[in-house]
Amino acid sequence: MTGPAPKPRVALFVTCLVDLFRPRVGFAAVKLLEEAGCTVEVPEGQSCCGQPAYNSGDRETAKRVARTAIEAFEGYDWVVAPSGSCAAMVAKDYPELFRDDPAWLPRAEALAGRTREIVSFLTDVLGVERVAATLETTATYHDSCSGLRSLGVKAQPRRLLASVDGLTLTEMTDPEVCCGFGGTFCVKFSDISTKMVGDKTGNIAATGADLVLAGDMGCLMNMAGKLSREGRPQKARHVVEVLAGMADGPAIGEGA
Amino acid sequence: MTAHQPTSRQFKKNVTAALANENLQRAMRSTQSGFVGKRAKARDALPEFDSLRDAARDLKNHTLAHLDLYLERYETEVKASGGHVHWAETAGDARRIVLDICRAAGAKTVNKGKTMISEEIGLNAHLEENGVRAVETDLGEYIIQLRGEAPSHIIAPAVHVTVPEVDALFRKTHAHLPADRDLSELPTMLAEARAVLRQKYFEADVGVTGANMLIAETGQSVIVTNEGNGDLSQSLPRVHIVLASIEKIVPTLEDAATVLRVLARSATGQEMSVYTTFSRGPRRAEDPDGPEEYHVVLLDNGRTGMLGTEFQDMLRCIRCGACMNHCPVYQAVGGHAYGWVYPGPMGAVLTPSLIGVEEGGQLPNASTFCGRCESVCPMRIPLPKMMRHWREREFEKHLAPAASRYGLRFWGFFAARPALYRRATGLAARALAALGRGRGRFAALPLAGGWTRSRDFPTPAPKTFMQQWKER
Ligand code: SF4
């Protein structure tokens, strides 16, 4: 006799920007994971993935923060983040970060192998093909760089969005070109970043869509901030808000 | 005119100027999509393109692991064909060697095919200072020589110049031009440059070309061009000088063919460039034409210092330009902003290697790590990873600004203590949330001017996710 397969135990890696600026994205992620049959826990011991230090060349600080994350997320079947960028940091960069550290490398590699970005986790690991959400609007999807190029997230969000009732998805020109966020880049090289995000919002507006979606809060805050500064009508939301049927509250930059 | 005085240190200043330069912005807009679309088409048309990239990467890694061996073999072959090989450790050595050859040949004029090494060593200015005239024969190089500029792109040196600017330039410098002569299209411009240059081919005593590759087993050098100017520069003058850096070597003809198959597709989206020319040694008795003397100047200029370091992979670069064509930072500011010879992602890695991280350290910082460069690089060079290595070196050398160094350590202290981190970030967020109550976003924020000058900043949530999760 075989009982029902045990529910996968998933740790939600909330990520800094979701925690502080957009808690609803965390709740949307929990909802999607639970509906797909997971038991979701939010480990207390988590903070940041360490990317700000890693990308600034401060390996030691990055390692210190990464060790904290490794400890926090050990022992779960999966670790899932509503961010391609933070998920890629753990899944792709942790092994590189600890390449010369025999004590931590195996733990880093084990965590890397179990860490996923949320939308691709739903489709590629859990086999989710459609969601039960409704949203009457036209949206365009921006491919955030790390998700796209480090983790191969491209078709998955589009496939799930296609199952949202009432939603029309329209592609912008250059959806794969960076929005100019880049973590500290956007303040260190503010002029270049401004030019890049201006090109991006121009492409978003040209689609005539009402909404821009993406899988990373950094990019979304950048695009939303530019859209509102330019007085454009387009709103920005994290893709999981739409997939979870939670796109009814204020959009990014309009209130949490 | 040459790249002798780098301005990479003042990258930010260069950026401000570039963003305000309307002609530059217009020129960048008009070429941007062309390269990208053509490369994508060429890739799609060749199913084995990605496996060719693997093969190209592997053969170059093999070559770099045995670089001394292949360079020696190459030297032996060149000598056997009656040519000369000169080893130049530094840019100064290379300049001196070329000038000596020109002097020995009694040269007054040198014709040049396109070579980035010439830019790297500042050859033109050196020749001019010593009474030898250097004439660029590549259309783009010719244009920027007339403008007194350095190239802004490694394969399209005048990509920053608009068509009306070229028109005006030619009318000014080609005094014989009738006013109604149409120069509004590339072919007519090329014809005009050709007409002027044709005469110069016969006046030159020495021809200098670069090399896209050097083939160890045959002693050949390979150049690819679309205008055929390289062929004339190397076969008409009495003396031919090949100017190449040591990592241009590949073991066999077969290997050269592999690289050629990815090179033009990545660069311009062509299957092959219009001219692919092999040269080896001086003219033999039975040859109808060709130079009497054949010299190869092999430049190191810091490259052996990259071997065995985390920057070795950069030596696989075949200078196709795909990384800059796909780089949003390069596309925003153009090549001159980078302040030295090599722009874009490959320049951001190479410049600190060749002229020092103190001078070039800004460049690898000016990246969002979007990774588009690596995704198109035919040699699969992990460009973002190497830019990060430069940031690490800067950080170790204490070259990063103190505020950001201590800021990171301070932040790291909290981030490694999750409970504290949560309290600290929660407090900051709550303060900010209180400040922005009811507005949803900020139009200006103290300490965040880099963001809020051009964008609104969202108000943090009144309660963090972690708090809400606990209270649920
Ligand atoms: S780094 Fe790669 S893409 Fe850039 S020029 Fe070199 S070979 Fe081409």
Side-chain angles (χ1 to χ4, degrees):
Chain A
M1 236 187 75
T2 57
K7 284 185 166 194
R9 230 178 116 230
V10 173
L12 181 70
F13 180 12
V14 181
T15 72
C16 306
L17 295 178
V18 167
D19 187 39
L20 296 174
F21 290 93
R22 202 73 182 156
R24 74 176 61 228
V25 169
F27 287 105
V30 171
K31 181 165 182 246
L32 286 166
L33 289 168
E34 287 181 346
E35 281 173 1
C38 304
T39 306
V40 182
E41 290 177 39
V42 181
E44 262 290 303
Q46 63 179 294
S47 61
C48 176
C49 64
Q51 209 176 156
Y54 185 56
N55 285 348
S56 302
D58 185 355
R59 257 184 118 82
E60 282 318 306
T61 302
K63 274 188 181 164
R64 188 172 335 135
V65 178
R67 283 192 291 264
T68 310
I70 293 172
E71 281 170 345
F73 291 115
E74 258 165 357
Y76 294 91
D77 296 330
W78 299 99
V79 176
V80 174
S83 158
S85 165
C86 310
M89 173 74 194
V90 179
K92 302 286 166 169
D93 293 316
Y94 275 17
E96 201 280 326
L97 193 58
F98 290 101
R99 62 173 186 229
D100 301 322
D101 190 336
W104 283 86
L105 183 60
R107 295 172 76 179
E109 281 177 335
L111 178 60
R114 286 182 285 107
T115 300
R116 294 287 189 279
E117 176 276 337
I118 175 123
V119 180
S120 49
F121 178 71
L122 291 171
T123 56
D124 303 354
V125 177
L126 300 177
V128 173
E129 279 170 12
R130 45 185 309 113
V131 293
T134 304
L135 187 67
E136 286 292 339
T137 196
T138 306
T140 188
Y141 186 86
H142 164 71
D143 295 290
S144 291
C145 300
S146 304
L148 173 72
R149 280 178 274 266
S150 292
L151 304 174
V153 179
K154 172 79 186 175
Q156 302 92 326
R158 288 174 173 78
R159 204 154 66 228
L160 291 189
L161 285 169
S163 73
V164 173
D165 246 357
L167 184 74
T168 311
L169 201 63
T170 161
E171 291 291 338
M172 69 177 95
T173 305
D174 293 337
E176 297 186 355
V177 172
C178 180
C179 72
F181 173 65
T184 53
F185 172 88
C186 67
V187 283
K188 274 195 202 155
F189 295 94
S190 149
D191 290 354
I192 307 176
S193 174
T194 296
K195 162 86 167 88
M196 287 164 69
V197 72
D199 289 351
K200 179 58 71 177
T201 51
N203 287 333
I204 293 168
T207 62
D210 302 314
L211 190 61
V212 58
L213 301 172
D216 261 286
M217 276 308 292
C219 321
L220 284 161
M221 285 165 62
N222 186 36
M223 295 186 291
K226 188 67 174 170
L227 285 166
S228 75
R229 179 62 60 88
E230 291 175 332
R232 297 191 192 268
Q234 284 78 20
K235 305 294 174 210
R237 286 183 191 280
H238 195 290
V239 62
V240 298
E241 297 177 37
V242 174
L243 297 179
M246 289 170 61
D248 41 359
I252 295 169
E254 310 219 291
Chain B
M1 139 168 323
T2 67
H4 253 157
Q5 284 311 319
T7 65
S8 308
R9 237 180 248 269
Q10 53 168 49
F11 176 71
K12 283 193 180 174
K13 220 169 123 197
N14 298 346
V15 162
T16 309
L19 289 169
N21 181 338
E22 276 172 34
N23 272 330
L24 170 66
Q25 293 298 330
R26 202 169 304 132
M28 297 308 286
R29 262 198 307 279
S30 71
T31 48
Q32 194 161 354
S33 49
F35 281 128
V36 171
K38 285 177 189 156
R39 177 206 172 262
K41 244 196 201 150
R43 173 206 58 201
D44 293 345
L46 187 69
E48 68 268 37
F49 185 65
D50 279 340
S51 49
L52 273 173
R53 289 169 70 191
D54 294 339
R57 173 198 56 205
D58 295 347
L59 83 84
K60 205 74 189 187
N61 279 347
H62 166 85
T63 314
L64 291 171
H66 307 280
L67 191 59
D68 48 349
L69 186 93
Y70 287 115
L71 284 169
E72 275 170 29
R73 173 70 192 273
Y74 172 76
E75 182 182 29
T76 308
E77 293 299 326
V78 173
K79 282 184 177 160
S81 71
H84 307 271
V85 175
H86 311 262
W87 299 88
E89 199 182 323
T90 65
D93 293 343
R95 285 194 296 268
R96 186 178 37 75
I97 292 165
V98 174
L99 183 63
D100 285 351
I101 298 170
C102 291
R103 283 197 172 138
K108 291 199 182 56
T109 307
V110 169
N111 265 4
K112 297 187 59 214
K114 204 179 133 19
T115 140
M116 289 307 293
I117 298 299
S118 160
E119 301 293 333
E120 184 179 325
I121 66 173
L123 182 61
N124 287 8
H126 187 68
L127 291 177
E128 305 274 343
E129 278 162 23
N130 288 281
V132 180
R133 198 158 155 241
V135 179
E136 295 290 350
T137 65
D138 172 271
L139 176 61
E141 291 283 349
Y142 178 68
I143 290 169
I144 58 168
Q145 190 180 31
L146 290 180
R147 285 167 62 97
E149 287 177 329
S152 69
H153 187 290
I154 58 174
I155 67 159
V159 72
H160 60 287
V161 188
T162 60
V163 171
E165 285 176 299
V166 178
D167 182 305
L169 181 72
F170 278 7
R171 282 181 206 289
K172 198 171 101 201
T173 38
H174 297 181
H176 58 278
L177 269 183
D180 58 352
R181 174 74 174 272
D182 173 33
L183 290 176
S184 60
E185 304 279 341
L186 190 63
T188 49
M189 270 185 229
L190 189 55
E192 173 60 24
R194 268 202 179 127
V196 173
L197 287 171
R198 181 126 336 223
Q199 191 48 40
K200 302 212 162 117
Y201 282 119
F202 297 99
E203 292 165 5
D205 314 287
V206 172
V208 173
T209 65
N212 289 88
M213 278 177 282
L214 305 172
I215 304 174
E217 69 167 358
T218 61
Q220 288 164 306
S221 79
V222 186
I223 57 170
V224 300
T225 72
N226 279 327
E227 294 160 20
N229 62 303
D231 298 20
L232 293 179
S233 300
Q234 70 182 25
S235 55
L236 288 180
R238 215 170 48 69
V239 178
H240 176 200
I241 304 174
V242 176
L243 198 50
S245 49
I246 51 173
E247 84 282 12
K248 287 280 144 60
I249 201 101
V250 295
T252 66
L253 255 177
E254 184 86 28
D255 294 329
T258 303
V259 171
L260 285 172
R261 293 188 72 195
V262 293
L263 174 59
R265 286 182 169 90
S266 302
T268 53
Q270 293 164 288
E271 286 176 20
M272 288 284 274
S273 303
V274 179
Y275 300 88
T276 301
T277 311
F278 295 74
S279 70
R280 177 182 192 263
R283 163 204 291 208
R284 292 159 301 188
E286 65 274 28
D287 290 338
D289 52 22
E292 289 163 28
E293 277 177 44
Y294 183 83
H295 299 267
V296 181
V297 181
L298 285 175
L299 178 72
D300 181 344
N301 207 26
R303 287 162 175 81
T304 47
M306 294 165 70
L307 289 169
T309 72
E310 60 264 64
F311 302 108
Q312 172 167 323
D313 288 348
M314 194 61 225
L315 296 173
R316 291 205 298 267
C317 176
I318 54 172
R319 306 292 190 265
C320 72
C323 54
M324 56 200 77
N325 294 338
H326 290 78
C327 175
V329 173
Y330 175 91
Q331 294 302 333
V333 302
H336 287 155
Y338 289 77
W340 196 56
V341 179
Y342 301 107
M346 56 83 76
V349 176
L350 208 52
T351 304
S353 303
L354 299 186
I355 62 174
V357 66
E358 287 81 1
E359 178 66 47
Q362 290 251 1
L363 308 184
N365 278 289
S367 163
T368 63
F369 288 154
C370 79
R372 207 169 174 221
C373 49
E374 181 178 357
S375 76
V376 297
C377 174
M379 305 307 284
R380 297 203 189 276
I381 298 173
L383 294 151
K385 189 171 134 192
M386 285 188 291
M387 289 184 223
R388 187 184 294 109
H389 286 323
W390 274 123
R391 298 183 191 185
E392 286 165 2
R393 292 244 180 139
E394 255 197 320
F395 196 88
E396 286 158 15
K397 280 192 170 183
H398 296 248
L399 289 172
S404 107
R405 294 174 52 78
Y406 294 124
L408 279 168
R409 290 278 146 100
F410 185 70
W411 168 83
F413 173 86
F414 282 97
R417 292 166 178 76
L420 264 185
Y421 183 71
R422 213 143 25 246
R423 221 171 313 144
T425 53
L427 271 179
R430 220 161 326 135
L432 211 52
L435 195 67
R437 179 151 344 271
R439 273 182 296 168
R441 56 180 176 262
F442 297 96
L445 263 185
L447 303 180
W451 180 290
T452 53
R453 242 192 314 280
S454 57
R455 294 158 276 217
D456 296 335
F457 192 78
T459 312
K463 279 187 181 177
T464 65
F465 175 86
M466 295 303 267
Q467 285 171 311
Q468 294 185 40
W469 180 256
K470 264 201 203 151
E471 292 167 12
R472 169 188 54 125

